[in-house]
Amino acid sequence: MSTFQFPPSIRSRPVYGTLAPRPGKAHLMIADAEGAEAILSLAGQGPGLMAKTHVIYIPKGTGETYVDQLRALKSAQFYTGPTYAASVQRIRRVLSDAHMGLQVYLAGTEGLMGQAEAEAIAAGIPHSAIQTEHRGSVARRMQCVHCKGITEDVMTDPFTCAHCGLNLFVRDHYSRRLAAFQGVCVDAEDPGNVPEPRELYS
Amino acid sequence: MTIQFNDETFRDDYSFRNSDRAIKRFPFPFHEDSYMYSVNMEQHRGGPSGSVYEKRFDVDEHYLSEMRDRAIVLAEDPLRCQSLPHMTLAGWDTLELIMVSKSEDYPDLFELHRDGSRWRWVNKPMGIDHTFTFLDETTLPCGPLEYITRQAQGDYAVLDQRGDMLYMDAGMVTTQADWSLDFDIGMDFFEWHAPVPLAHEMGIFKRALKFLLNVQQGAPARRLNWTMTVNPLLDTSPENYHKWGIQKTTLTPENIGAKQHLRVELQTFYRLPRSNALLFPIRCYLIAFQDIVSVPKWGRRLHRVVRDLPDELATYKGFIANRPMMLDYLSQYDDGLPTSPGVWPDLETEPPLQR
């Protein structure tokens, strides 16, 4: 099991649950990397569930590890995408074609769940109606508050903004609209005095 | 009285100054010799003549210079003013409230002539005379919220109310105490306050939300908040923190009286009539330490408040590193005498410094 118990934090920080089947005419499951394990577990709980399900899966670093198992679920539609960016047009199309009663399930890294959630919200689904389950890496999708650039898969605090190069500390303050945590300059008051980066939750 | 508008800056050479009148009417935020969070709400129905509480939207000597500073910030970063698509009507509500209030409260400075939906707005200090059609965006040079808040001091958050919750869904934010509208837009009341320490555990936000959800049309409310700012810098935004943060390290015992400023927010809350949104103006007032201590009661009290503030609050408000130097300075103006209750300067009745 690739699960991680996040410590309690501030009110804007997302909390994740465990996916459970809900009644619905159609189901959309979006997962990346170890998020596949949550989909496999979910599929086992709902007889007939997968026949009404569209699975969108981005393996990230896990390669072929889960692809055959997911395909064996015989979902109504199954798609593997090379990256989230390559998959997002398909996600938008599925959401725009969706009818009342679509159930959305997200699993995997925070960055994947956050971005897919933002798409679902933009399509009119309230965030409270979207199920999420964290699996795999605790890396974060960070927005630099200074240059607004997004750095994906941040594993350390502090880290270097991939765009403007400032040294940023990792806040728990999270924007659902941006699907990103906030990164703020760590050495603004003492330039050059950057703490040694520590792995998140280490 | 006619206001003499200052020509001053809030950046670079920092020529901002408060006149004697501005010092005496400063909204000093401490009603006693200590400070802790509270839901310190009261009705916003005027106040003593000449005070910042008297009018619905206070216009003071800094008006023109603050509006120039806002224009500079917006030119550099247009995302400081945003409005989610469903908030346009609340923007018109805001425009109406400010135009009506200012034209009634300052008839020598502002005029509003309404003929049905055909409105003529005259802003004499800014040299604006503009006729437009109310509720028709094509007759304004920008959205209604941006249009009117480019002409009104203070930041403006516009909060949508849905399902017993407030959402930060629009705003004009260029004089903020280190929060980002661009990041927080769309968040609910608890989410955008998430980084504030202690207050959640104290139940402050639950009670504040309950109060705010029930603010009625025609019955606005107000409260004060405060922090510290080195130099009279209005734009203490997180966006520019990597540029201004270093200024905190420029304090010396010699310059602290002139450089260190108390930053007070007069926060008001108005229910808007068409949208049922809540308008949340956050008006920033700055005052140098050397001007505060010119009022003996305020000098005594500020020393005691800063000295006794819990470390968590001094950290959150960003002055924990400078607190010892602030106390060295302020202690010179605290002779240990008792202070009168309330926020007013009480210059006639409070004794001068006994040193």
Side-chain angles (χ1 to χ4, degrees):
Chain A
M1 287 275 282
S2 50
T3 56
F4 178 77
Q5 196 67 43
F6 292 102
S9 182
I10 62 176
R11 287 286 296 255
S12 59
R13 199 228 186 289
V15 291
Y16 307 102
T18 305
L19 300 184
R22 282 184 189 161
K25 283 199 298 191
H27 304 265
L28 173 62
M29 300 179 186
I30 306 174
D32 71 352
E34 286 87 354
E37 295 177 4
I39 302 295
L40 293 168
S41 162
L42 176 65
Q45 300 171 47
L49 174 67
M50 299 313 286
K52 296 186 285 185
T53 295
H54 188 152
V55 175
I56 293 177
Y57 179 62
I58 299 129
K60 279 193 118 176
T62 62
E64 293 297 312
T65 312
Y66 300 104
V67 173
D68 285 345
Q69 295 174 70
L70 288 171
R71 187 173 283 118
L73 296 176
K74 299 199 185 315
S75 52
Q77 287 170 278
F78 177 61
Y79 164 82
T80 58
T83 62
Y84 178 78
S87 312
V88 69
Q89 297 300 340
R90 184 180 178 113
I91 291 169
R92 285 179 190 153
R93 174 61 187 269
V94 173
L95 288 167
S96 72
D97 288 350
H99 296 277
M100 285 291 285
L102 174 78
Q103 295 289 353
V104 178
Y105 309 83
L106 310 175
T109 63
E110 296 200 78
L112 177 281
M113 290 190 286
Q115 292 178 91
E117 182 190 71
E119 294 295 336
I121 291 169
I125 300 172
H127 77 87
S128 51
I130 300 166
Q131 292 194 64
T132 54
E133 180 170 341
H134 177 264
R135 293 285 184 125
S137 168
V138 297
R140 293 191 185 189
R141 189 166 189 266
M142 300 294 306
Q143 188 200 39
C144 172
V145 75
H146 311 294
C147 80
K148 309 285 184 184
I150 299 279
T151 304
E152 303 280 356
D153 296 322
V154 169
M155 276 304 295
T156 65
D157 177 21
F159 70 103
T160 305
C161 176
H163 305 270
C164 69
L166 285 174
N167 298 296
L168 307 178
F169 71 93
V170 172
R171 292 186 81 187
D172 277 354
H173 198 33
Y174 179 84
S175 165
R176 201 176 282 125
R177 189 181 65 96
L178 299 168
F181 290 91
Q182 191 174 61
V184 178
C185 184
V186 72
D187 58 340
E189 297 178 32
D190 190 3
N193 184 9
V194 180
E196 196 61 32
R198 281 191 54 181
E199 191 158 314
L200 294 177
Y201 299 110
S202 66
Chain B
M1 65 169 282
T2 306
I3 302 167
Q4 296 295 316
F5 296 110
N6 303 346
D7 182 6
E8 60 194 359
T9 57
F10 300 89
R11 56 185 65 228
D12 305 324
D13 63 344
Y14 294 110
S15 61
F16 164 89
R17 295 291 180 274
N18 281 307
S19 67
D20 285 346
R21 178 170 184 271
I23 293 169
K24 291 188 180 67
R25 75 195 293 274
F26 189 82
F28 189 73
F30 308 113
H31 64 89
E32 58 188 6
D33 286 355
S34 65
Y35 172 81
M36 198 9 140
Y37 289 134
S38 62
V39 186
N40 49 335
M41 295 281 186
E42 58 180 1
Q43 293 184 339
H44 184 41
R45 291 205 181 145
S49 176
S51 75
V52 303
Y53 310 105
E54 183 185 8
K55 313 292 192 188
R56 284 167 282 187
F57 296 89
D58 182 45
V59 176
D60 69 7
E61 64 190 33
H62 308 297
Y63 176 48
L64 291 180
S65 296
E66 285 188 26
M67 294 301 94
R68 274 197 294 273
D69 195 73
R70 165 155 295 162
I72 294 169
V73 173
L74 288 170
E76 287 176 358
D77 183 3
L79 297 177
R80 300 301 188 83
C81 184
Q82 295 192 48
S83 179
L84 295 182
H86 60 282
M87 295 301 283
T88 304
L89 187 61
W92 284 109
D93 276 332
T94 303
L95 175 143
E96 178 189 48
L97 176 67
I98 294 177
M99 286 187 177
V100 168
S101 301
K102 283 193 163 185
S103 60
E104 289 176 356
D105 293 350
Y106 299 93
D108 53 330
L109 300 179
F110 305 97
E111 294 173 17
L112 180 63
H113 306 279
R114 288 182 283 186
D115 177 13
S117 61
R118 200 76 182 150
W119 291 21
R120 178 172 166 232
W121 166 247
V122 182
N123 177 338
K124 291 181 189 169
M126 292 183 74
I128 292 168
D129 185 337
H130 187 183
T131 300
F132 62 95
T133 304
F134 187 67
L135 297 179
D136 180 355
E137 275 183 275
T138 63
T139 61
L140 289 178
C142 54
L145 176 68
E146 179 174 348
Y147 179 79
I148 194 57
T149 57
R150 279 179 178 268
Q151 302 178 46
Q153 289 164 275
D155 285 346
Y156 294 82
V158 194
L159 315 179
D160 197 21
Q161 183 160 333
R162 310 188 292 274
D164 286 338
M165 181 51 77
L166 294 168
Y167 296 86
M168 176 80 71
D169 284 351
M172 165 68 89
V173 178
T174 67
T175 68
Q176 67 282 55
D178 210 2
W179 66 280
S180 167
L181 174 71
D182 183 49
F183 195 81
D184 288 358
I185 194 167
M187 289 189 188
D188 76 27
F189 187 80
F190 297 122
E191 290 168 345
W192 87 70
H193 285 115
V196 182
L198 302 178
H200 290 272
E201 295 82 344
M202 291 168 65
I204 295 285
F205 291 121
K206 273 188 184 148
R207 274 176 285 155
L209 176 64
K210 199 166 185 175
F211 179 92
L212 293 174
L213 289 172
N214 289 296
V215 169
Q216 302 292 310
Q217 260 191 69
R222 70 182 175 221
R223 69 183 287 266
L224 295 177
N225 196 11
W226 68 276
T227 187
M228 295 286 182
T229 304
V230 175
N231 291 326
L233 175 63
L234 281 177
D235 178 28
T236 48
S237 58
E239 277 83 356
N240 285 328
Y241 170 63
H242 60 305
K243 299 175 191 164
W244 60 262
I246 190 74
Q247 296 181 23
K248 292 190 197 177
T249 65
T250 61
L251 283 188
T252 66
E254 291 70 40
N255 67 23
I256 187 169
K259 259 185 176 308
Q260 180 64 57
H261 287 68
L262 175 64
R263 182 186 193 100
V264 173
E265 293 177 350
L266 172 56
Q267 305 182 343
T268 50
F269 305 90
Y270 291 85
R271 178 68 59 196
L272 298 174
R274 295 172 189 75
S275 58
N276 198 44
L278 195 71
L279 180 65
F280 176 17
I282 308 160
R283 172 67 178 277
C284 172
Y285 293 87
L286 293 163
I287 188 170
F289 269 23
Q290 64 189 14
D291 290 339
I292 298 175
V293 301
S294 71
V295 177
K297 170 181 165 181
W298 290 353
R300 293 182 180 107
R301 180 165 293 168
L302 185 63
H303 172 248
R304 297 167 197 177
V305 168
V306 171
R307 181 190 62 200
D308 299 338
L309 196 72
D311 282 355
E312 271 163 298
L313 289 191
T315 303
Y316 174 65
K317 290 177 184 290
F319 65 87
I320 188 90
N322 285 330
R323 175 148 72 172
M325 201 192 301
M326 291 161 77
L327 291 175
D328 283 346
Y329 177 83
L330 291 171
S331 62
Q332 305 171 73
Y333 302 93
D334 185 358
D335 50 20
L337 290 183
T339 55
S340 57
V343 296
W344 306 106
D346 298 334
L347 284 164
E348 313 301 321
T349 48
E350 287 288 277
L353 188 67
Q354 305 293 305
R355 289 210 167 143

